[in-house]
Amino acid sequence: MYTKIDGKQVSQAVRARIAEETASLKSKGIEPGLAVIIVGNDPASRVYVNNKKKACEQTGINSFEYAMAEDTSTEELISLIEKLNNDKRVSGILCQLPVPKQIDEERVLNAISPDKDVDGFHPVNCGRLMTGCAKFAPCTPAGMVEMLKYYNIPIAGKHCVIIGRSNIVGKPMAMLMLANNATVTVCHSKTDNLPEITKQADILVAAVGKPKFVTAEMVKDGAVVLDVGINRMENGKLCGDVDFDAVCEKTSYITPVPGGVGPMTITMLLQNTLTAASDEN
């Protein structure tokens, strides 16, 4: 019998803790603040930004939105970021991705001060993660580690197999699992004999962006399965990278889609903002 990992439940518990710690900082005159920049009118980005604002309100973190026009240049965006880097009200800065095509995304992310980079994407923070002294970890991988700890799922000594090597999920997840003393294998589109490798996993992380890619034949009995994928099927329903109905009975723990990993991403953004506010004072 498997246990469904409830991302909403874990998220609520972590946000309650964040709210308490935020109130404690405020009692000392420290006001955590998150600046969110949105460029253009992408509907999905607008939903994400609104959700981040609501999450800040729930936990007592101040939020500042900077909405910029679709035709904003790289230089204009970097100019705003430099002002926010020097704004004492702002603990963390997030530039909502994707940005319009004319903007140099790499230059923009590199312009954010590493000490305010609450997404954890700046090369300095990537380096800190690699060397085991991360101040901020990218939010989705950090959320998965938080879920494992909430459910008291052992990590040390376990074999973690990650499908996907993106800079946002796969690579940082590998570093976080190594930091927690797991043995880690990272698989990708060029990996030979993928099912043979995934069947060795005590903890299997699917972050490949293909609906129902992971089948029952790829999963070891009793494995923990974390599904990062969010894919929309032809019928309009969401599904993950794991064929949940086929795989769940083989697992000990598994995340559903929706309601699994997703709720943790914004929650860990709040945690990183709180960390930034604590460290700057």
Side-chain angles (χ1 to χ4, degrees), residues 7-63:
K8 291 180 181 176
Q9 180 180 319
V10 183
S11 175
Q12 287 169 358
V14 175
R15 288 190 190 191
R17 184 187 75 211
I18 290 169
E20 287 179 11
E21 293 177 7
T22 299
S24 175
L25 280 181
K26 284 186 168 183
S27 71
K28 301 170 186 171
I30 302 166
E31 297 264 348
L34 174 65
V36 180
I37 304 168
I38 179 170
V39 185
N41 306 303
D42 182 73
S45 291
R46 171 44 62 192
V47 170
Y48 290 137
V49 168
N50 288 346
N51 287 341
K52 286 163 186 171
K53 287 168 71 175
K54 287 178 189 173
C56 285
E57 288 172 13
Q58 289 173 358
T59 53
I61 292 173
N62 299 327
S63 66

Side-chain angles (χ1 to χ4, degrees), residues 135-195:
K135 181 175 180 179
F136 310 118
C139 300
T140 299
M144 285 190 277
V145 173
E146 193 74 31
M147 294 168 99
L148 293 171
K149 291 180 177 179
Y150 181 89
Y151 279 87
N152 295 312
I153 297 169
I155 301 175
K158 301 300 181 182
H159 185 190
C160 175
V161 175
I162 300 164
I163 312 173
R165 54 178 169 179
S166 74
N167 292 333
I168 295 172
V169 178
K171 290 177 186 175
M173 186 62 179
M175 293 302 103
L176 288 176
M177 296 303 279
L178 283 172
N180 283 276
N181 299 311
T183 298
V184 178
T185 301
V186 179
C187 301
H188 45 79
S189 59
K190 304 298 183 186
T191 299
D192 289 331
N193 304 317
L194 181 65

Side-chain angles (χ1 to χ4, degrees), residues 70-206:
E70 185 79 26
D71 61 356
T72 295
S73 68
T74 299
E75 286 69 25
E76 288 170 324
L77 184 48
I78 288 175
S79 177
L80 171 61
I81 288 169
E82 287 172 349
K83 289 177 184 174
L84 297 175
N85 283 339
N86 295 305
D87 188 336
K88 294 192 183 304
R89 300 175 306 153
V90 174
S91 313
I93 302 169
L94 179 145
C95 184
Q96 183 65 48
L97 302 177
V99 288
K101 283 185 262 185
Q102 77 275 8
I103 291 175
D104 186 331
E105 185 178 298
E106 184 177 356
R107 278 185 64 198
V108 166
L109 294 179
N110 289 352
I112 297 172
S113 165
D115 293 329
K116 294 191 176 186
D117 166 43
V118 288
D119 257 338
F121 295 159
H122 193 285
V124 168
N125 287 323
C126 294
R128 288 171 174 165
L129 184 64
M130 175 69 74
T131 54
C133 55
K135 181 175 180 179
F136 310 118
C139 300
T140 299
M144 285 190 277
V145 173
E146 193 74 31
M147 294 168 99
L148 293 171
K149 291 180 177 179
Y150 181 89
Y151 279 87
N152 295 312
I153 297 169
I155 301 175
K158 301 300 181 182
H159 185 190
C160 175
V161 175
I162 300 164
I163 312 173
R165 54 178 169 179
S166 74
N167 292 333
I168 295 172
V169 178
K171 290 177 186 175
M173 186 62 179
M175 293 302 103
L176 288 176
M177 296 303 279
L178 283 172
N180 283 276
N181 299 311
T183 298
V184 178
T185 301
V186 179
C187 301
H188 45 79
S189 59
K190 304 298 183 186
T191 299
D192 289 331
N193 304 317
L194 181 65
E196 292 179 22
I197 298 171
T198 59
K199 281 194 78 166
Q200 300 172 33
D202 302 307
I203 301 169
L204 179 62
V205 179

Side-chain angles (χ1 to χ4, degrees), residues 230-277:
I230 302 178
N231 310 287
R232 195 168 293 279
M233 296 184 289
E234 290 181 4
N235 62 8
K237 290 187 177 181
L238 293 176
C239 74
D241 290 350
V242 176
D243 186 346
F244 184 93
D245 292 336
V247 169
C248 62
E249 294 296 343
K250 293 191 75 173
T251 67
S252 54
Y253 293 87
I254 186 170
T255 60
V257 175
V261 174
M264 292 302 298
T265 299
I266 292 178
T267 298
M268 300 315 292
L269 175 69
L270 301 176
Q271 180 62 62
N272 282 348
T273 303
L274 185 66
T275 299

